[in-house]
Amino acid sequence: MSNRLNSTPNDLRAFWMPFTANRQYKKEPRLFVGAKDMHYTTHDGRQVLDGTAGLWCVNAGHCRPKITEAIREQAGELDYAPAFQLGHPKAFELANRLIDLAPDNMAHVLYTNSGSESVETALKVALAYQRVKGQGSRTRLIGRERGYHGVNFGGISVGGIVSNRKMFGTLLTGVDHMPHTHQPGKNAFSKGMPEHGGDLADELERIVTLHDASTIAAVIVEPVAGSTGVLIPPKGYLQRLRELCTKHGILLIFDEVITGFGRLGAPFAAQYFDVKPDIITTAKGLTNGVIPMGAVFVTAEIHDAFMTGPEHMIEFFHGYTYSGNPIASAAALGTLDTYKEEGLLTRAAEIAPYWEEKLHSLRDCPNVIDIRNLGLIGAIELKPIDGEPTKRAFNAFLNAYNDGLLIRTTGDIIALSPPLIITTEQIDELFDKLRKVLMNNI
Ligand SMILES: Cc1ncc(COP(=O)(O)O)c(C=O)c1O
């Protein structure tokens, strides 16, 4: 008998869904069939308020006309152009626009198709840079416990989420990890950046002492750790990390796949925290999540180090078939126009105080053991059900969805990151709905 599944068009079996409880989902499917601004429409005709900007990506809200139009026009004008030894104008225009927005030490852009690929690209640039500078012994990469840097081998090697790593063999060698910065005993219910834990950056000194700086190429961190359940950097932490990297000649990579494009109230977290990394990875909000695209920003110093040797030679052996794809570039330009016209890259700064107040008002709900926030990011940590970790938050996710609210959960933590267009009335609605869910979720 054939193992092939019946190819009935609406059969759910063939799609092995990513990061999904497939068996539960397929018994009780949740499908979106439309979206506009702050809302999704479900297959059963309900409106769902988007509390997570899709997956931290739809920063300008859904189905925005400038972006839709840009894609439509580009698809009819130039669908594809090879990215190797050839180009098209919009990829160059976009790179210039990105550099104008980025921290002022950033000078060049490499394109990718996702956050995971941006991370791989950044790690490869870092290793190759050390080599072209004559420091080929610097091969070690340092990540952080609980870090999330996508799902490819470099990213899971420097990442620190055990379920994303443990199934996949030995990963990259020569990787070490700093401790994460979560100190619930000292920092629970912090508003904004926690007071305690800035000194955890000094753990890098310990790692340098163990391996020697001459073996370390780069440190990669998320300025705000998102996927692990939102860990806000303690005061002084990122500044200290920068000082130590500079002192030891180690490149500092900020993975801004979720913090990029306005999430904290500045275009990038590097600007928000006033810390200048050497490399920045982005994706998600670059095209408002509409077309897969990522970008890696590097300093002139890094780029220029490769620009040696005969001019007809390729300087860096890396890139993707879709690097700077015309339709993705057009979508990104439409996205940047939308952000600019509506002031979205700084809007989170205006509404963050209201967001913080409403978020922390849930402190009295049952089983809430921590609440944390920064910019337009919020997290509510729940006490796990005895012997059934993750179930309490997953139940909250299902109940919220049924009540018309999209939240995201990881472990027993609820993470919130709505589109940057959210109004104060919609913030009220979001937290009213969430209160109801938490009160009934005992
Ligand atoms: C910090 C960070 N890096 C990388 C990624 C991976 O991005 P993608 O899923 O587009 O590969 C994510 C995704 O959530 C992320 O949050």
PDB file of all heavy atoms in Angstrom, residues 206-238:
ATOM      1  N   ARG A 206      35.529  36.028  32.210  1.00  0.00           N
ATOM      2  CA  ARG A 206      35.835  34.663  32.656  1.00  0.00           C
ATOM      3  C   ARG A 206      36.074  33.770  31.431  1.00  0.00           C
ATOM      4  O   ARG A 206      37.024  32.993  31.379  1.00  0.00           O
ATOM      5  CB  ARG A 206      34.662  34.135  33.489  1.00  0.00           C
ATOM      6  CG  ARG A 206      34.905  32.797  34.150  1.00  0.00           C
ATOM      7  CD  ARG A 206      33.663  32.290  34.857  1.00  0.00           C
ATOM      8  NE  ARG A 206      32.493  32.180  33.998  1.00  0.00           N
ATOM      9  CZ  ARG A 206      32.287  31.222  33.103  1.00  0.00           C
ATOM     10  NH1 ARG A 206      33.192  30.282  32.923  1.00  0.00           N
ATOM     11  NH2 ARG A 206      31.186  31.206  32.359  1.00  0.00           N
ATOM     12  N   ILE A 207      35.231  33.939  30.414  1.00  0.00           N
ATOM     13  CA  ILE A 207      35.360  33.121  29.202  1.00  0.00           C
ATOM     14  C   ILE A 207      36.663  33.461  28.466  1.00  0.00           C
ATOM     15  O   ILE A 207      37.358  32.591  27.962  1.00  0.00           O
ATOM     16  CB  ILE A 207      34.106  33.323  28.318  1.00  0.00           C
ATOM     17  CG1 ILE A 207      32.906  32.660  28.999  1.00  0.00           C
ATOM     18  CG2 ILE A 207      34.315  32.769  26.916  1.00  0.00           C
ATOM     19  CD1 ILE A 207      31.576  32.857  28.300  1.00  0.00           C
ATOM     20  N   VAL A 208      36.999  34.756  28.465  1.00  0.00           N
ATOM     21  CA  VAL A 208      38.259  35.179  27.828  1.00  0.00           C
ATOM     22  C   VAL A 208      39.442  34.587  28.591  1.00  0.00           C
ATOM     23  O   VAL A 208      40.413  34.113  27.985  1.00  0.00           O
ATOM     24  CB  VAL A 208      38.345  36.730  27.770  1.00  0.00           C
ATOM     25  CG1 VAL A 208      39.754  37.180  27.408  1.00  0.00           C
ATOM     26  CG2 VAL A 208      37.331  37.290  26.776  1.00  0.00           C
ATOM     27  N   THR A 209      39.328  34.576  29.892  1.00  0.00           N
ATOM     28  CA  THR A 209      40.423  34.012  30.693  1.00  0.00           C
ATOM     29  C   THR A 209      40.585  32.520  30.406  1.00  0.00           C
ATOM     30  O   THR A 209      41.692  31.995  30.336  1.00  0.00           O
ATOM     31  CB  THR A 209      40.140  34.219  32.202  1.00  0.00           C
ATOM     32  OG1 THR A 209      39.882  35.593  32.396  1.00  0.00           O
ATOM     33  CG2 THR A 209      41.302  33.789  33.066  1.00  0.00           C
ATOM     34  N   LEU A 210      39.457  31.848  30.208  1.00  0.00           N
ATOM     35  CA  LEU A 210      39.494  30.408  29.947  1.00  0.00           C
ATOM     36  C   LEU A 210      40.085  30.095  28.562  1.00  0.00           C
ATOM     37  O   LEU A 210      40.923  29.202  28.420  1.00  0.00           O
ATOM     38  CB  LEU A 210      38.064  29.855  30.041  1.00  0.00           C
ATOM     39  CG  LEU A 210      37.874  28.378  29.735  1.00  0.00           C
ATOM     40  CD1 LEU A 210      38.583  27.513  30.779  1.00  0.00           C
ATOM     41  CD2 LEU A 210      36.384  28.039  29.706  1.00  0.00           C
ATOM     42  N   HIS A 211      39.633  30.827  27.531  1.00  0.00           N
ATOM     43  CA  HIS A 211      40.002  30.452  26.156  1.00  0.00           C
ATOM     44  C   HIS A 211      41.116  31.315  25.567  1.00  0.00           C
ATOM     45  O   HIS A 211      41.671  30.970  24.534  1.00  0.00           O
ATOM     46  CB  HIS A 211      38.789  30.592  25.234  1.00  0.00           C
ATOM     47  CG  HIS A 211      37.645  29.692  25.596  1.00  0.00           C
ATOM     48  ND1 HIS A 211      37.730  28.328  25.554  1.00  0.00           N
ATOM     49  CD2 HIS A 211      36.381  29.976  26.003  1.00  0.00           C
ATOM     50  CE1 HIS A 211      36.555  27.798  25.901  1.00  0.00           C
ATOM     51  NE2 HIS A 211      35.729  28.774  26.196  1.00  0.00           N
ATOM     52  N   ASP A 212      41.314  32.474  26.120  1.00  0.00           N
ATOM     53  CA  ASP A 212      42.208  33.522  25.614  1.00  0.00           C
ATOM     54  C   ASP A 212      41.530  34.301  24.476  1.00  0.00           C
ATOM     55  O   ASP A 212      40.945  33.718  23.553  1.00  0.00           O
ATOM     56  CB  ASP A 212      43.563  32.978  25.129  1.00  0.00           C
ATOM     57  CG  ASP A 212      44.565  34.120  25.072  1.00  0.00           C
ATOM     58  OD1 ASP A 212      44.972  34.596  26.143  1.00  0.00           O
ATOM     59  OD2 ASP A 212      44.880  34.590  23.960  1.00  0.00           O
ATOM     60  N   ALA A 213      41.664  35.605  24.550  1.00  0.00           N
ATOM     61  CA  ALA A 213      41.008  36.482  23.563  1.00  0.00           C
ATOM     62  C   ALA A 213      41.441  36.147  22.139  1.00  0.00           C
ATOM     63  O   ALA A 213      40.660  36.288  21.190  1.00  0.00           O
ATOM     64  CB  ALA A 213      41.313  37.937  23.882  1.00  0.00           C
ATOM     65  N   SER A 214      42.689  35.670  21.999  1.00  0.00           N
ATOM     66  CA  SER A 214      43.210  35.414  20.648  1.00  0.00           C
ATOM     67  C   SER A 214      42.484  34.277  19.940  1.00  0.00           C
ATOM     68  O   SER A 214      42.756  33.993  18.776  1.00  0.00           O
ATOM     69  CB  SER A 214      44.708  35.093  20.723  1.00  0.00           C
ATOM     70  OG  SER A 214      44.878  33.871  21.408  1.00  0.00           O
ATOM     71  N   THR A 215      41.582  33.574  20.656  1.00  0.00           N
ATOM     72  CA  THR A 215      40.825  32.486  20.005  1.00  0.00           C
ATOM     73  C   THR A 215      39.366  32.883  19.741  1.00  0.00           C
ATOM     74  O   THR A 215      38.602  32.080  19.223  1.00  0.00           O
ATOM     75  CB  THR A 215      40.809  31.203  20.877  1.00  0.00           C
ATOM     76  OG1 THR A 215      39.999  31.437  22.044  1.00  0.00           O
ATOM     77  CG2 THR A 215      42.202  30.784  21.303  1.00  0.00           C
ATOM     78  N   ILE A 216      38.975  34.106  20.122  1.00  0.00           N
ATOM     79  CA  ILE A 216      37.552  34.462  20.057  1.00  0.00           C
ATOM     80  C   ILE A 216      37.290  35.468  18.937  1.00  0.00           C
ATOM     81  O   ILE A 216      37.891  36.544  18.895  1.00  0.00           O
ATOM     82  CB  ILE A 216      37.064  35.031  21.418  1.00  0.00           C
ATOM     83  CG1 ILE A 216      37.320  33.997  22.525  1.00  0.00           C
ATOM     84  CG2 ILE A 216      35.584  35.397  21.348  1.00  0.00           C
ATOM     85  CD1 ILE A 216      36.991  34.471  23.920  1.00  0.00           C
ATOM     86  N   ALA A 217      36.376  35.100  18.031  1.00  0.00           N
ATOM     87  CA  ALA A 217      36.048  35.984  16.900  1.00  0.00           C
ATOM     88  C   ALA A 217      34.957  36.971  17.270  1.00  0.00           C
ATOM     89  O   ALA A 217      35.064  38.163  16.961  1.00  0.00           O
ATOM     90  CB  ALA A 217      35.595  35.139  15.702  1.00  0.00           C
ATOM     91  N   ALA A 218      33.880  36.480  17.881  1.00  0.00           N
ATOM     92  CA  ALA A 218      32.713  37.343  18.055  1.00  0.00           C
ATOM     93  C   ALA A 218      31.842  36.878  19.203  1.00  0.00           C
ATOM     94  O   ALA A 218      31.829  35.709  19.568  1.00  0.00           O
ATOM     95  CB  ALA A 218      31.887  37.359  16.769  1.00  0.00           C
ATOM     96  N   VAL A 219      31.096  37.842  19.728  1.00  0.00           N
ATOM     97  CA  VAL A 219      30.034  37.587  20.705  1.00  0.00           C
ATOM     98  C   VAL A 219      28.720  37.967  20.035  1.00  0.00           C
ATOM     99  O   VAL A 219      28.646  39.029  19.408  1.00  0.00           O
ATOM    100  CB  VAL A 219      30.232  38.462  21.969  1.00  0.00           C
ATOM    101  CG1 VAL A 219      28.985  38.471  22.830  1.00  0.00           C
ATOM    102  CG2 VAL A 219      31.430  37.994  22.769  1.00  0.00           C
ATOM    103  N   ILE A 220      27.721  37.118  20.144  1.00  0.00           N
ATOM    104  CA  ILE A 220      26.412  37.459  19.590  1.00  0.00           C
ATOM    105  C   ILE A 220      25.363  37.425  20.695  1.00  0.00           C
ATOM    106  O   ILE A 220      25.295  36.458  21.460  1.00  0.00           O
ATOM    107  CB  ILE A 220      26.018  36.536  18.410  1.00  0.00           C
ATOM    108  CG1 ILE A 220      24.647  36.961  17.835  1.00  0.00           C
ATOM    109  CG2 ILE A 220      26.018  35.068  18.779  1.00  0.00           C
ATOM    110  CD1 ILE A 220      24.317  36.322  16.484  1.00  0.00           C
ATOM    111  N   VAL A 221      24.575  38.498  20.789  1.00  0.00           N
ATOM    112  CA  VAL A 221      23.457  38.533  21.747  1.00  0.00           C
ATOM    113  C   VAL A 221      22.264  39.236  21.103  1.00  0.00           C
ATOM    114  O   VAL A 221      22.428  40.060  20.204  1.00  0.00           O
ATOM    115  CB  VAL A 221      23.798  39.308  23.052  1.00  0.00           C
ATOM    116  CG1 VAL A 221      24.803  38.563  23.906  1.00  0.00           C
ATOM    117  CG2 VAL A 221      24.260  40.734  22.770  1.00  0.00           C
ATOM    118  N   GLU A 222      21.081  38.883  21.600  1.00  0.00           N
ATOM    119  CA  GLU A 222      19.901  39.682  21.295  1.00  0.00           C
ATOM    120  C   GLU A 222      19.891  40.822  22.319  1.00  0.00           C
ATOM    121  O   GLU A 222      19.965  40.552  23.519  1.00  0.00           O
ATOM    122  CB  GLU A 222      18.629  38.858  21.501  1.00  0.00           C
ATOM    123  CG  GLU A 222      18.519  37.587  20.699  1.00  0.00           C
ATOM    124  CD  GLU A 222      17.515  36.621  21.354  1.00  0.00           C
ATOM    125  OE1 GLU A 222      16.315  36.760  21.075  1.00  0.00           O
ATOM    126  OE2 GLU A 222      17.932  35.753  22.150  1.00  0.00           O
ATOM    127  N   PRO A 223      19.797  42.065  21.894  1.00  0.00           N
ATOM    128  CA  PRO A 223      19.779  43.155  22.881  1.00  0.00           C
ATOM    129  C   PRO A 223      18.621  42.966  23.875  1.00  0.00           C
ATOM    130  O   PRO A 223      18.796  43.166  25.080  1.00  0.00           O
ATOM    131  CB  PRO A 223      19.583  44.414  22.051  1.00  0.00           C
ATOM    132  CG  PRO A 223      19.845  44.040  20.638  1.00  0.00           C
ATOM    133  CD  PRO A 223      19.741  42.561  20.506  1.00  0.00           C
ATOM    134  N   VAL A 224      17.443  42.591  23.384  1.00  0.00           N
ATOM    135  CA  VAL A 224      16.362  42.093  24.238  1.00  0.00           C
ATOM    136  C   VAL A 224      16.094  40.672  23.761  1.00  0.00           C
ATOM    137  O   VAL A 224      15.789  40.467  22.584  1.00  0.00           O
ATOM    138  CB  VAL A 224      15.069  42.927  24.083  1.00  0.00           C
ATOM    139  CG1 VAL A 224      13.923  42.290  24.875  1.00  0.00           C
ATOM    140  CG2 VAL A 224      15.288  44.370  24.530  1.00  0.00           C
ATOM    141  N   ALA A 225      16.249  39.689  24.645  1.00  0.00           N
ATOM    142  CA  ALA A 225      16.007  38.305  24.229  1.00  0.00           C
ATOM    143  C   ALA A 225      14.503  38.107  24.088  1.00  0.00           C
ATOM    144  O   ALA A 225      13.753  38.350  25.041  1.00  0.00           O
ATOM    145  CB  ALA A 225      16.592  37.353  25.259  1.00  0.00           C
ATOM    146  N   GLY A 226      14.053  37.684  22.920  1.00  0.00           N
ATOM    147  CA  GLY A 226      12.618  37.607  22.662  1.00  0.00           C
ATOM    148  C   GLY A 226      12.048  36.211  22.793  1.00  0.00           C
ATOM    149  O   GLY A 226      11.221  35.928  23.662  1.00  0.00           O
ATOM    150  N   SER A 227      12.530  35.307  21.938  1.00  0.00           N
ATOM    151  CA  SER A 227      11.879  34.002  21.814  1.00  0.00           C
ATOM    152  C   SER A 227      11.944  33.173  23.089  1.00  0.00           C
ATOM    153  O   SER A 227      11.106  32.316  23.319  1.00  0.00           O
ATOM    154  CB  SER A 227      12.504  33.210  20.668  1.00  0.00           C
ATOM    155  OG  SER A 227      12.252  33.891  19.468  1.00  0.00           O
ATOM    156  N   THR A 228      12.951  33.417  23.925  1.00  0.00           N
ATOM    157  CA  THR A 228      13.048  32.654  25.167  1.00  0.00           C
ATOM    158  C   THR A 228      11.997  33.091  26.187  1.00  0.00           C
ATOM    159  O   THR A 228      11.878  32.517  27.263  1.00  0.00           O
ATOM    160  CB  THR A 228      14.454  32.789  25.789  1.00  0.00           C
ATOM    161  OG1 THR A 228      14.563  31.901  26.879  1.00  0.00           O
ATOM    162  CG2 THR A 228      14.717  34.203  26.281  1.00  0.00           C
ATOM    163  N   GLY A 229      11.274  34.164  25.856  1.00  0.00           N
ATOM    164  CA  GLY A 229      10.241  34.625  26.782  1.00  0.00           C
ATOM    165  C   GLY A 229      10.502  36.022  27.306  1.00  0.00           C
ATOM    166  O   GLY A 229      10.088  36.351  28.413  1.00  0.00           O
ATOM    167  N   VAL A 230      11.183  36.825  26.507  1.00  0.00           N
ATOM    168  CA  VAL A 230      11.414  38.248  26.787  1.00  0.00           C
ATOM    169  C   VAL A 230      12.286  38.449  28.044  1.00  0.00           C
ATOM    170  O   VAL A 230      11.791  38.457  29.177  1.00  0.00           O
ATOM    171  CB  VAL A 230      10.093  39.044  26.938  1.00  0.00           C
ATOM    172  CG1 VAL A 230      10.392  40.512  27.246  1.00  0.00           C
ATOM    173  CG2 VAL A 230       9.233  38.926  25.684  1.00  0.00           C
ATOM    174  N   LEU A 231      13.564  38.612  27.826  1.00  0.00           N
ATOM    175  CA  LEU A 231      14.471  38.984  28.915  1.00  0.00           C
ATOM    176  C   LEU A 231      15.053  40.353  28.581  1.00  0.00           C
ATOM    177  O   LEU A 231      15.732  40.518  27.563  1.00  0.00           O
ATOM    178  CB  LEU A 231      15.586  37.946  29.072  1.00  0.00           C
ATOM    179  CG  LEU A 231      15.113  36.501  29.311  1.00  0.00           C
ATOM    180  CD1 LEU A 231      16.294  35.546  29.458  1.00  0.00           C
ATOM    181  CD2 LEU A 231      14.210  36.422  30.542  1.00  0.00           C
ATOM    182  N   ILE A 232      14.745  41.315  29.433  1.00  0.00           N
ATOM    183  CA  ILE A 232      15.179  42.695  29.209  1.00  0.00           C
ATOM    184  C   ILE A 232      16.603  42.819  29.761  1.00  0.00           C
ATOM    185  O   ILE A 232      16.869  42.346  30.875  1.00  0.00           O
ATOM    186  CB  ILE A 232      14.242  43.687  29.948  1.00  0.00           C
ATOM    187  CG1 ILE A 232      12.755  43.359  29.700  1.00  0.00           C
ATOM    188  CG2 ILE A 232      14.580  45.135  29.612  1.00  0.00           C
ATOM    189  CD1 ILE A 232      12.256  43.572  28.324  1.00  0.00           C
ATOM    190  N   PRO A 233      17.517  43.475  29.034  1.00  0.00           N
ATOM    191  CA  PRO A 233      18.895  43.555  29.566  1.00  0.00           C
ATOM    192  C   PRO A 233      18.942  44.413  30.825  1.00  0.00           C
ATOM    193  O   PRO A 233      18.342  45.483  30.871  1.00  0.00           O
ATOM    194  CB  PRO A 233      19.673  44.229  28.423  1.00  0.00           C
ATOM    195  CG  PRO A 233      18.651  45.006  27.659  1.00  0.00           C
ATOM    196  CD  PRO A 233      17.364  44.221  27.781  1.00  0.00           C
ATOM    197  N   PRO A 234      19.654  43.946  31.849  1.00  0.00           N
ATOM    198  CA  PRO A 234      19.791  44.770  33.055  1.00  0.00           C
ATOM    199  C   PRO A 234      20.542  46.067  32.742  1.00  0.00           C
ATOM    200  O   PRO A 234      21.317  46.124  31.781  1.00  0.00           O
ATOM    201  CB  PRO A 234      20.626  43.889  33.993  1.00  0.00           C
ATOM    202  CG  PRO A 234      20.547  42.516  33.435  1.00  0.00           C
ATOM    203  CD  PRO A 234      20.328  42.653  31.972  1.00  0.00           C
ATOM    204  N   LYS A 235      20.323  47.051  33.583  1.00  0.00           N
ATOM    205  CA  LYS A 235      20.987  48.346  33.381  1.00  0.00           C
ATOM    206  C   LYS A 235      22.502  48.163  33.302  1.00  0.00           C
ATOM    207  O   LYS A 235      23.086  47.488  34.156  1.00  0.00           O
ATOM    208  CB  LYS A 235      20.637  49.291  34.525  1.00  0.00           C
ATOM    209  CG  LYS A 235      19.212  49.798  34.412  1.00  0.00           C
ATOM    210  CD  LYS A 235      18.857  50.791  35.504  1.00  0.00           C
ATOM    211  CE  LYS A 235      17.396  51.190  35.357  1.00  0.00           C
ATOM    212  NZ  LYS A 235      16.828  51.754  36.577  1.00  0.00           N
ATOM    213  N   GLY A 236      23.124  48.759  32.305  1.00  0.00           N
ATOM    214  CA  GLY A 236      24.577  48.741  32.175  1.00  0.00           C
ATOM    215  C   GLY A 236      25.139  47.502  31.501  1.00  0.00           C
ATOM    216  O   GLY A 236      26.316  47.472  31.130  1.00  0.00           O
ATOM    217  N   TYR A 237      24.320  46.477  31.319  1.00  0.00           N
ATOM    218  CA  TYR A 237      24.819  45.191  30.809  1.00  0.00           C
ATOM    219  C   TYR A 237      25.406  45.314  29.399  1.00  0.00           C
ATOM    220  O   TYR A 237      26.528  44.882  29.129  1.00  0.00           O
ATOM    221  CB  TYR A 237      23.677  44.167  30.835  1.00  0.00           C
ATOM    222  CG  TYR A 237      24.037  42.815  30.259  1.00  0.00           C
ATOM    223  CD1 TYR A 237      24.587  41.834  31.061  1.00  0.00           C
ATOM    224  CD2 TYR A 237      23.822  42.526  28.907  1.00  0.00           C
ATOM    225  CE1 TYR A 237      24.929  40.594  30.545  1.00  0.00           C
ATOM    226  CE2 TYR A 237      24.158  41.287  28.379  1.00  0.00           C
ATOM    227  CZ  TYR A 237      24.710  40.326  29.197  1.00  0.00           C
ATOM    228  OH  TYR A 237      25.039  39.104  28.676  1.00  0.00           O
ATOM    229  N   LEU A 238      24.625  45.898  28.485  1.00  0.00           N
ATOM    230  CA  LEU A 238      25.078  45.946  27.080  1.00  0.00           C
ATOM    231  C   LEU A 238      26.282  46.875  26.928  1.00  0.00           C
ATOM    232  O   LEU A 238      27.191  46.598  26.130  1.00  0.00           O
ATOM    233  CB  LEU A 238      23.929  46.381  26.163  1.00  0.00           C
ATOM    234  CG  LEU A 238      22.765  45.378  26.069  1.00  0.00           C
ATOM    235  CD1 LEU A 238      21.588  45.984  25.300  1.00  0.00           C
ATOM    236  CD2 LEU A 238      23.204  44.077  25.401  1.00  0.00           C
TER     237      LEU A 238
END
